[in-house]
Amino acid sequence: MRAKRSLLGIIGVVAWVLLATFCTGSAQAAGVPDVHTGDRVQVAPPAPHGAGAQSPLAAVSPTISPAANWIHRAQDELFDCKEGNLCVEVWDPTVSKWKIFFLYTCNRYYLSNWFNTGYYLNKQTGSVTSYFYGAQGQVLRAFSPPQVGTQDWNPVWSIRNC
């Protein structure tokens, strides 16, 4: 009887693992931008120094709240930062690629697991000012479009794109 229960338990666990494997999908957001005439296509920069040193098991993907469209791009891959967006790039150690967020909707976005140096490209329209904020809400950087630059993400806790 005990052997029968063990066998049923093992079969149940195997079935559960198989079901979980086939039922989970990709977590990447939809909305990969199309390239249009007149848009400036960007090239993803080289990986940050020492990017391959972190174990994928210990790595955590950078996130932003509220959610925004994003894509992954490897070094030298093209991407399109469309007019009206503040595009911010952070290294994602879980896939060894750049994770590029497209901040279009006016909001204050809170960052999680953003480390080291990344990039930003401000292609918003009008006389809008964007801000990077520190842990106590202090302004670390304020800028208006058009603006391209590098940013140490370590002290940045939030971004307002308007």
Side-chain angles (χ1 to χ4, degrees):
M1 185 68 165
R2 193 175 282 196
K4 214 180 223 185
R5 275 191 276 171
S6 295
L7 180 60
L8 288 174
I10 291 171
I11 291 171
V13 168
V14 169
W16 179 79
V17 169
L18 288 173
L19 182 64
T21 301
F22 291 111
C23 290
T24 56
S26 173
Q28 182 168 342
V32 176
D34 297 325
V35 177
H36 299 284
T37 306
D39 286 341
R40 183 172 174 202
V41 176
Q42 303 297 307
V43 178
H49 179 69
Q54 211 173 22
S55 165
L57 296 176
V60 179
S61 183
T63 59
I64 196 165
S65 179
N69 286 339
W70 59 269
I71 58 172
H72 276 122
R73 287 295 182 260
Q75 174 180 330
D76 297 327
E77 278 189 287
L78 300 176
F79 72 93
D80 181 22
C81 182
K82 290 183 181 177
E83 184 176 63
N85 284 284
L86 170 60
C87 301
V88 289
E89 301 174 46
V90 60
W91 186 254
D92 187 345
T94 63
V95 293
S96 296
K97 293 182 177 184
W98 291 101
K99 193 169 186 180
I100 304 163
F101 291 88
F102 302 94
L103 308 183
Y104 180 80
T105 303
C106 177
N107 215 327
R108 186 158 180 175
Y109 296 89
Y110 293 88
L111 315 180
S112 294
N113 303 306
W114 286 51
F115 302 109
N116 304 317
T117 300
Y119 302 89
Y120 63 93
L121 171 60
N122 194 350
K123 289 186 66 178
Q124 298 178 93
T125 57
S127 57
V128 64
T129 301
S130 297
Y131 301 91
F132 293 162
Y133 297 99
Q136 280 74 45
Q138 74 278 21
V139 174
L140 301 174
R141 182 183 302 258
F143 54 94
S144 296
Q147 179 80 32
V148 177
T150 60
Q151 178 64 44
D152 176 8
W153 294 122
N154 293 317
V156 180
W157 285 53
S158 63
I159 297 172
R160 179 174 288 282
N161 63 326
C162 54

